[in-house]
Amino acid sequence: ARTNHAAICLGAIAPQPEVVESRWRIKRTAVSAYANAPVVIWRQLLLTDEQRREIALAALQQHGGIYASLKIPLFALDALATVASGRRVIWFTTILGFSHLKVCSELVAWSYEAVLGANAFGAPWRSLSPDDLDDYCHFSPNWVCMFNSIR
């Protein structure tokens, strides 16, 4: 996997550059906290400024929520089942996942779906890992990489 975390930039609704992320709790973090970290930043080309604002606000509404650490084994089970079957399996995260708790990538996908509708990243938000989001953005013509220090 190329990426292991995902967050949403708050853009113009924040007084300083910040993201909303899910790390033990859903919280706001200054972008400067990632100054020395490997980072890739994607931007959806087809969104209006109002949609970007609504997506950031949707993520911000989750502020203070609990991180869904118990979901991590479900992602591992999906990955093992995918390797064993030769096709993408999202059964464990979709069926057994706790719908009200979100890991980082689910927070991102849920926020987009709250504004744009179902499967904004090609699959249900409950089943998306950070690497799934990165892959989707990489292969979609509607996303552009704004910054990449991962390579």
Side-chain angles (χ1 to χ4, degrees), residues 6 35 70 83 107:
L70 296 176
V83 170
L107 173 66

Side-chain angles (χ1 to χ4, degrees), residues 78-115:
D78 278 349
L80 289 172
T82 295
V83 170
S85 70
R87 62 180 179 79
R88 181 142 195 259
V89 174
I90 57 174
W91 188 84
F92 294 98
T93 50
T94 303
I95 303 301
L96 299 177
F98 315 104
S99 62
H100 64 291
L101 301 175
K102 298 166 187 70
V103 297
C104 60
S105 52
E106 292 176 329
L107 173 66
V108 171
W110 178 89
S111 299
Y112 273 80
E113 286 190 22
V115 175

Side-chain angles (χ1 to χ4, degrees), residues 2 11 29 40 46-47 87 90 114-115 124 147:
R2 186 171 93 130
T29 304
V40 61
L46 304 179
L47 296 178
R87 62 180 179 79
I90 57 174
V115 175
F147 179 82

Side-chain angles (χ1 to χ4, degrees), residues 19-138:
V19 297
V20 175
E21 62 181 340
S22 186
R23 274 204 162 150
W24 303 114
R25 289 191 105 35
I26 298 174
K27 62 181 186 164
R28 293 171 79 149
T29 304
V31 170
S32 61
Y34 291 96
N36 296 317
V39 172
V40 61
I41 299 173
W42 293 101
R43 182 176 180 91
Q44 219 285 3
L45 297 172
L46 304 179
L47 296 178
T48 65
D49 288 342
E50 181 59 25
Q51 286 172 316
R52 289 182 206 292
R53 183 179 178 282
E54 289 175 20
I55 290 166
L57 288 172
L60 198 52
Q61 287 174 351
Q62 301 296 305
H63 187 269
I66 297 170
Y67 179 77
S69 57
L70 296 176
K71 285 187 173 180
I72 301 302
L74 300 178
F75 282 104
L77 289 171
D78 278 349
L80 289 172
T82 295
V83 170
S85 70
R87 62 180 179 79
R88 181 142 195 259
V89 174
I90 57 174
W91 188 84
F92 294 98
T93 50
T94 303
I95 303 301
L96 299 177
F98 315 104
S99 62
H100 64 291
L101 301 175
K102 298 166 187 70
V103 297
C104 60
S105 52
E106 292 176 329
L107 173 66
V108 171
W110 178 89
S111 299
Y112 273 80
E113 286 190 22
V115 175
L116 303 177
N119 299 339
F121 287 92
W125 68 264
R126 288 182 181 94
S127 65
L128 294 167
S129 70
D131 207 48
D132 291 330
L133 297 182
D134 184 54
D135 288 347
Y136 184 84
C137 294
H138 180 80

